[in-house]
Amino acid sequence: MESKNSILLSLLMLQCLSLLCVSQSQDFDFFYFVQQWPGSYCDTKQSCCYPNTGKPSANFGIHGLWPNYKDGSYPSNCDPNNSFNQAKISDLISNMQKNWPSLACPSSNSIQFWTHEWEKHGTCSKSVLNQHGYFDTALSLKGKTNLLKALKNAGINPDGSSYSLQNIKNAIKGAIGYTPWIECNVDASGNSQLYQIYLCVDTSGSSLIECPVFPKGKCGSEIEFPSF
Ligand code: 5GP
Ligand code: 5GP
């Protein structure tokens, strides 16, 4: 009788633990992995500043890896006690300077940008990725998704001309396997242009997925792809 009770008790405890695990893994539903085209950050009215490591290469750069909910909302600034600490990612810094440069003014070493991304977004996925894991995961996603190559192979080049939004999306879907979301901004003369590309990633940060929900915002049906 007593052993039966203790088995029941163990089962109950296991169930409680599994419930705890489920609620933990549901801090967020998926990530947006967002890359920016530097030419479109720089040719606006506001303009840009190159980081003090020099002009970044003419390629997409990482903007961020953002935990999101399926209803389109997102958590932010989830842990004020877990601030950015460069020492935790010292092995990643040179890769980050190349693939995650900040173009904001005044010129900087990009640390402020990474600090902002970790504190606003990264702290909200800390149940799955610690600080090193967060930046490492974003870098490895960048390595797996060569957007510029996908576009160039489809004849879509950063040459200042205009391309159909649908062709841009098809080129990325064809090369990467998932439908991206394109965010546009406007250049100094008001033309709609390709600014950021969103892809969706599962909660572990390891696989691309189809987006459960797309962001909002408008592009023209033909958009410019400026040079950089
Ligand atoms: P988020 O969109 O991630 O919430 O905020 C981006 C913040 O990072 C803004 O405050 C912006 O000024 C700053 N920032 C610094 N460098 C860059 C950059 O190269 N691109 C973008 N989009 N934002 C940057
Ligand atoms: P659809 O139903 O063809 O997906 O698109 C509906 C509307 O959303 C259309 O006006 C289309 O131009 C716009 N749209 C489709 N895909 C994107 C995208 O990736 N980014 C933006 N900004 N608009 C899009």
Side-chain angles (χ1 to χ4, degrees):
M1 186 62 190
E2 203 170 306
S3 74
K4 205 170 173 193
N5 274 345
S6 74
I7 288 174
L8 275 176
L9 197 66
S10 312
L11 280 173
L12 207 66
M13 277 168 64
L14 270 177
Q15 199 175 21
C16 288
L17 276 176
S18 70
L19 278 175
L20 273 178
C21 289
V22 167
S23 61
Q24 268 243 316
S25 67
Q26 283 175 339
D27 308 351
F28 64 102
D29 298 322
F30 69 97
F31 287 108
Y32 283 127
F33 176 54
V34 186
Q35 300 182 55
Q36 63 180 357
W37 177 248
S40 303
Y41 188 92
C42 289
D43 72 357
T44 62
K45 250 190 215 158
Q46 193 186 303
S47 187
C48 75
C49 295
Y50 299 153
N52 44 34
T53 42
K55 182 180 176 176
S57 62
N59 200 352
F60 285 89
I62 299 171
H63 180 164
L65 181 64
W66 302 340
N68 235 80
Y69 298 119
K70 277 186 201 150
D71 69 2
S73 69
Y74 62 93
S76 62
N77 299 100
C78 297
D79 188 357
N81 298 316
N82 190 342
S83 50
F84 178 79
N85 179 352
Q86 203 183 334
K88 291 185 174 163
I89 57 161
S90 51
D91 59 319
L92 304 178
I93 297 288
S94 69
N95 194 343
M96 303 236 317
Q97 279 168 341
K98 183 164 175 276
N99 289 294
W100 202 329
S102 169
L103 291 162
C105 294
S107 285
S108 73
N109 54 12
S110 302
I111 299 279
Q112 293 91 328
F113 190 24
W114 307 333
T115 301
H116 171 89
E117 292 302 308
W118 166 255
E119 292 178 0
K120 179 172 178 187
H121 302 285
T123 54
C124 299
S125 53
K126 68 180 188 322
S127 61
V128 273
L129 298 171
N130 64 17
Q131 214 168 121
H132 188 275
Y134 178 77
F135 289 103
D136 202 25
T137 296
L139 290 170
S140 103
L141 287 165
K142 168 81 168 50
K144 284 194 271 189
T145 54
N146 194 335
L147 297 175
L148 190 58
K149 187 167 156 221
L151 293 170
K152 283 183 171 173
N153 284 347
I156 298 167
N157 298 299
D159 56 6
S161 54
S162 284
Y163 297 92
S164 112
L165 177 61
Q166 208 48 58
N167 288 350
I168 290 173
K169 297 182 73 160
N170 289 344
I172 292 168
K173 165 110 193 181
I176 296 188
Y178 297 91
T179 303
W181 178 258
I182 309 299
E183 180 186 347
C184 295
N185 68 354
V186 294
D187 69 11
S189 339
N191 303 310
S192 179
Q193 58 181 1
L194 197 180
Y195 170 41
Q196 301 202 104
I197 300 185
Y198 292 62
L199 293 166
C200 291
V201 180
D202 70 350
T203 50
S204 71
S206 52
S207 312
L208 294 171
I209 56 172
E210 283 298 347
C211 288
V213 57
F214 284 114
K216 295 203 161 55
K218 271 197 174 15
C219 291
S221 58
E222 299 279 322
I223 62 176
E224 202 181 305
F225 191 10
S227 60
F228 180 66

